[in-house]
Amino acid sequence: MYAYDEIDRTLVNERVSEFRDQVKRRLSGELTEDEFKILRLQNGVYLQLHAYMFRVAIPYGTLATNQLRALAHVARKYDRGYGHFTTRQNIQFNWIKLAELPDALEDLAKVGIHAMQTSGNNMRNVTSDQWAGVAPGEIEDPRIWSELIRQHTTLHPEFSFLPRKFKIAITASDHDRAAIKIHDIGLRLIKNEKGETGFEVLVGGGLGRTPFIAKTIKHFVHGRDILSYIEAILRVYNQYGRRDNIYKARIKILVHELGIEKFSREVEDEWQHIRNSSLEIDDEVIEDIRSRFTYPAYEKLPHMPDELRQAAADPDFEAWRKNSVAPHKVQGYSIVTISLKPTGGPPGDATAEQMDALADLADKYSFGEIRVGHEQNLALPHVAKRDLPALWKALDKLGLATPNVNLITDIIACPGLDYCSLANARSIPIAQELTRRFANHELANLIGRLHINISGCINACGHHHVGHIGILGVEKNGEEVYQITIGGRADESAALGTLIGPGVKFDEVADVVEDIVEAYLALRERPEELFMDTVKRLGVEPFKERVYATR
Ligand code: HEM
Ligand code: SF4
């Protein structure tokens, strides 16, 4: 966990009182909604279909149990008893009352949580691997660097009025769980030949109307230079990024229009000016941040405890363990993913009761720590293997042991027309229907790893472009129509999906997905050939034929 210092706390508290004053002036009519908009956006407050929507940052997806309890408290006291975990390590509350927002922010500030820069044209929450610090084989804990960038960019004047929002993600593992290739800047921690820590830097990724996979701009930037290098990129973006057309304002468009070579020359030029400046990071700064991340006092435990061996006789436990439990870098421990995708439920939602109960379980079984991942699931990062059976029973009672992590019902979905004022179509009911269609866990396991991602409009909050099966809601003649793509992925081999044909109606989406899955099961060469591998081998044609032959 990271421990805030006095400076962090003062900043967060000052921000709350400033916002309290702004809300007061809005409520009294002294500020118009237009004048208030820029102020509220800087504090993560949107105006949505039914109410204000409040977005809270969870930097690099790490939460202490008192923080999770504070989020539960906000859900219970100021909202309708639940919160929605998003694809960017944020949580959103959909029914907040403006007059109560400053109180909610104050309650969160007490535990070091804020909503700064969760909206607006600035540097957004710096995200990372939800298994950071515990994943076997990781170069080092990427959160140290996420925190460095977070501190440097929070309320930084140059990054507060960018042409458009800006997102950075960091991974330190071979397997990319942070989706770095669909971020404005993606950072991959690596070691050079001398054994020094640095980064491969990628730039220009992003989804939305014009999706791009990020390109490598530099193969190795030394850790001490990472702030100056990022700042050089942002300066070039600030200077050349388009401000006349919101659809062309993201850095991905600039990179695309200039070409990565020209763009990188500009960055290199800028970098030479600022490289050996105060932006160069002293070892002590990194050491200071590193020392604020504390790790649990792990015990020396056996690799295979008796409790686990005995529980293996229970097929229900085994079904859950197989998909939810991952190896940990310390022997005798595991990382446990908690699915927020129950059959028939809205993906990513957790009730206040579930959040509180999870905090209790994290205290009991995971050294008081919880993680939030971009697939809208949670994780307990340090569970002793001997505790897995007891944890599973407790999760099951809470409705949090759905054994579907990474399977077809582990769906990512944006709020769509149920909440979002930009939506063209519903997303949540599509996800709910699909989880019901594939509720049979044996079938889901037979299908294996398959990610479905759903967005209610072209903005792509539900990452539809990078879903193995992507579903995008559009509006046609007043009707919801869904375009289906296949072959997208958001990991280290990130790719954008290919559209398979004309859009289909709301009622047809689940049938179409079933057709695609049946085609895959018939076409795969062996059970181990995953959906993505079959698509890679055969292209989209056979799937297209199957879906449209009878439509
Ligand atoms: C309901 C309030 C929301 C609004 C008004 C909203 C608005 C937007 C807009 C306008 C974009 C496109 C930005 C661009 O390309 O310049 C976008 C992108 C995105 N949003 Fe949302 N969003 C909302 C909720 C969410 C939720 C709930 C999630 C997660 C489930 C989310 C995650 C994202 C992500 C991951 C992108 C990807 C595009 C990219 O930056 O590459 N947003 N959002
Ligand atoms: S993808 Fe569209 S509908 Fe979905 S949350 Fe984003 S803006 Fe709203």
Side-chain angles (χ1 to χ4, degrees):
M1 288 298 303
Y2 180 74
Y4 268 45
D5 64 10
E6 205 42 48
I7 301 173
D8 293 311
R9 277 193 291 270
T10 311
L11 181 78
V12 172
N13 288 334
E14 279 175 357
R15 190 61 175 217
V16 175
S17 46
E18 187 182 82
F19 190 56
R20 190 177 287 286
D21 178 57
Q22 291 162 352
V23 168
K24 204 165 109 201
R25 286 190 284 145
R26 170 69 193 115
L27 290 172
S28 73
E30 198 183 319
L31 291 175
T32 63
E33 185 54 42
D34 255 10
E35 287 164 336
F36 181 58
K37 184 175 173 186
I38 179 93
L39 305 172
R40 67 168 160 78
L41 283 181
Q42 284 170 7
N43 291 283
V45 182
Y46 286 78
L47 188 51
Q48 283 303 307
L49 277 185
H50 316 284
Y52 283 101
M53 186 278 282
F54 177 41
R55 183 183 288 159
V56 174
I58 302 167
Y60 33 81
T62 299
L63 278 173
T65 43
N66 65 334
Q67 294 177 318
L68 186 58
R69 286 192 187 96
L71 293 172
H73 158 82
V74 167
R76 186 179 292 116
K77 182 158 181 203
Y78 306 107
D79 207 277
R80 295 194 176 173
Y82 61 93
H84 178 72
F85 288 96
T86 81
T87 45
R88 295 217 73 261
Q89 295 180 327
N90 295 316
I91 182 168
Q92 293 187 177
F93 298 100
N94 284 303
W95 301 97
I96 285 277
K97 289 189 198 67
L98 184 57
E100 294 181 348
L101 250 168
D103 291 341
L105 263 179
E106 189 171 320
D107 293 349
L108 291 175
K110 284 180 196 145
V111 293
I113 294 188
H114 63 78
M116 280 183 264
Q117 296 183 195
T118 55
S119 50
N121 294 333
N122 49 37
M123 181 77 76
R124 300 293 185 86
N125 191 22
V126 178
T127 55
S128 192
D129 183 353
Q130 70 271 22
W131 294 359
V134 289
E138 172 182 87
I139 302 273
E140 71 167 298
D141 192 336
R143 293 173 304 168
I144 295 161
W145 301 91
S146 312
E147 177 56 26
L148 175 79
I149 298 169
R150 186 188 79 80
Q151 288 180 5
H152 182 68
T153 56
T154 300
L155 304 184
H156 188 306
E158 182 154 4
F159 308 147
S160 296
F161 297 95
L162 294 168
R164 198 78 178 87
K165 60 173 158 180
F166 203 91
K167 302 172 177 178
I168 297 184
I170 308 182
T171 180
S173 288
D174 288 341
H175 181 58
D176 175 7
R177 280 171 295 267
I180 65 166
K181 290 190 178 175
I182 53 165
H183 281 75
D184 297 283
I185 291 180
L187 298 174
R188 196 164 71 82
L189 259 165
I190 46 176
K191 294 246 190 242
N192 67 7
E193 320 78 59
K194 289 188 211 146
E196 295 165 321
T197 304
F199 294 90
E200 180 190 14
V201 180
L202 295 96
V203 73
L207 304 177
R209 189 174 299 261
T210 326
F212 283 108
I213 298 298
K215 298 185 178 68
T216 299
I217 178 167
K218 210 160 173 70
H219 289 283
F220 188 81
V221 174
H222 198 286
R224 66 172 167 262
D225 294 323
I226 196 63
L227 283 186
S228 62
Y229 195 76
I230 289 174
E231 188 142 335
I233 293 177
L234 276 144
R235 285 188 180 192
V236 172
Y237 176 48
N238 234 347
Q239 190 178 352
Y240 295 109
R242 287 182 63 167
R243 289 182 153 86
D244 60 326
N245 181 340
I246 190 176
Y247 302 122
K248 301 205 163 164
R250 299 285 298 271
I251 196 172
K252 61 190 174 183
I253 307 287
L254 181 65
V255 172
H256 177 68
E257 285 182 354
L258 286 181
I260 186 75
E261 288 79 21
K262 184 154 173 20
F263 182 81
S264 69
R265 278 201 301 278
E266 292 283 342
V267 171
E268 202 66 28
D269 234 26
E270 186 62 41
W271 192 38
Q272 294 317 323
H273 290 116
I274 58 174
R275 186 173 176 180
N276 300 311
S277 63
S278 58
L279 287 172
E280 187 173 318
I281 310 156
D282 290 339
D283 287 346
E284 297 93 84
V285 173
I286 285 296
E287 277 320 309
D288 180 53
I289 293 178
R290 188 170 291 152
S291 69
R292 285 166 182 281
F293 277 98
T294 50
Y295 298 91
Y298 296 115
E299 290 172 67
K300 221 172 158 20
L301 295 177
H303 172 65
M304 181 47 96
D306 291 344
E307 290 86 343
L308 198 54
R309 199 169 284 129
Q310 282 155 17
D314 181 341
D316 288 340
F317 171 77
E318 274 302 284
W320 172 81
R321 188 197 56 77
K322 191 165 156 249
N323 299 316
S324 308
V325 178
H328 192 284
K329 68 176 168 198
V330 177
Q331 177 182 294
Y333 288 86
S334 297
I335 307 168
V336 173
T337 301
I338 294 158
S339 167
L340 293 183
K341 321 289 177 64
T343 303
D349 276 13
T351 65
E353 288 68 37
Q354 286 176 326
M355 287 189 248
D356 273 339
L358 257 179
D360 293 346
L361 289 177
D363 276 337
K364 196 166 173 189
Y365 297 120
S366 187
F367 297 91
E369 206 176 311
I370 301 104
R371 303 290 181 85
V372 184
H374 85 267
E375 296 95 349
Q376 301 182 289
N377 287 325
L378 303 177
L380 296 181
H382 326 276
V383 181
K385 284 185 175 176
R386 61 163 184 235
D387 294 333
L388 285 169
L391 174 65
W392 168 67
K393 279 199 187 116
L395 287 172
D396 197 31
K397 278 202 194 116
L398 297 168
L400 290 169
T402 316
N404 63 348
V405 174
N406 285 326
L407 300 182
I408 191 164
T409 52
D410 184 1
I411 296 171
I412 292 178
C414 80
L417 210 47
D418 289 83
Y419 296 99
C420 179
S421 57
L422 304 176
N424 290 322
R426 287 168 288 172
S427 313
I428 293 172
I430 297 269
Q432 289 171 308
E433 174 59 18
L434 285 170
T435 59
R436 285 189 284 261
R437 283 285 175 113
F438 293 96
N440 178 336
H441 295 305
E442 269 160 46
L443 173 64
N445 270 300
L446 182 77
I447 298 165
R449 192 177 183 111
L450 204 173
H451 293 291
I452 299 181
N453 296 1
I454 311 170
S455 302
C457 82
I458 196 68
N459 285 318
C461 301
H463 286 189
H464 65 276
H465 295 110
V466 287
H468 298 172
I469 298 178
I471 302 173
L472 163 66
V474 295
E475 195 238 63
K476 214 170 164 191
N477 307 325
E479 232 191 305
E480 295 162 300
V481 173
Y482 294 83
Q483 295 181 345
I484 315 288
T485 50
I486 64 175
R489 59 199 292 173
D491 57 8
E492 60 284 357
S493 311
L496 301 171
T498 306
L499 188 65
I500 61 164
V504 299
K505 295 200 176 109
F506 179 87
D507 294 336
E508 294 173 317
V509 176
D511 291 342
V512 167
V513 172
E514 258 180 13
D515 285 351
I516 293 172
V517 169
E518 277 169 18
Y520 154 64
L521 290 174
L523 290 164
R524 71 182 178 187
E525 280 181 329
R526 49 210 152 75
E528 299 78 45
E529 187 178 63
L530 296 177
F531 175 73
M532 285 305 292
D533 299 329
T534 308
V535 174
K536 201 166 160 196
R537 182 167 56 83
L538 298 173
V540 303
E541 253 346 281
F543 298 94
K544 188 172 173 171
E545 269 166 36
R546 172 65 186 254
V547 168
Y548 293 100
T550 53
R551 285 193 174 80

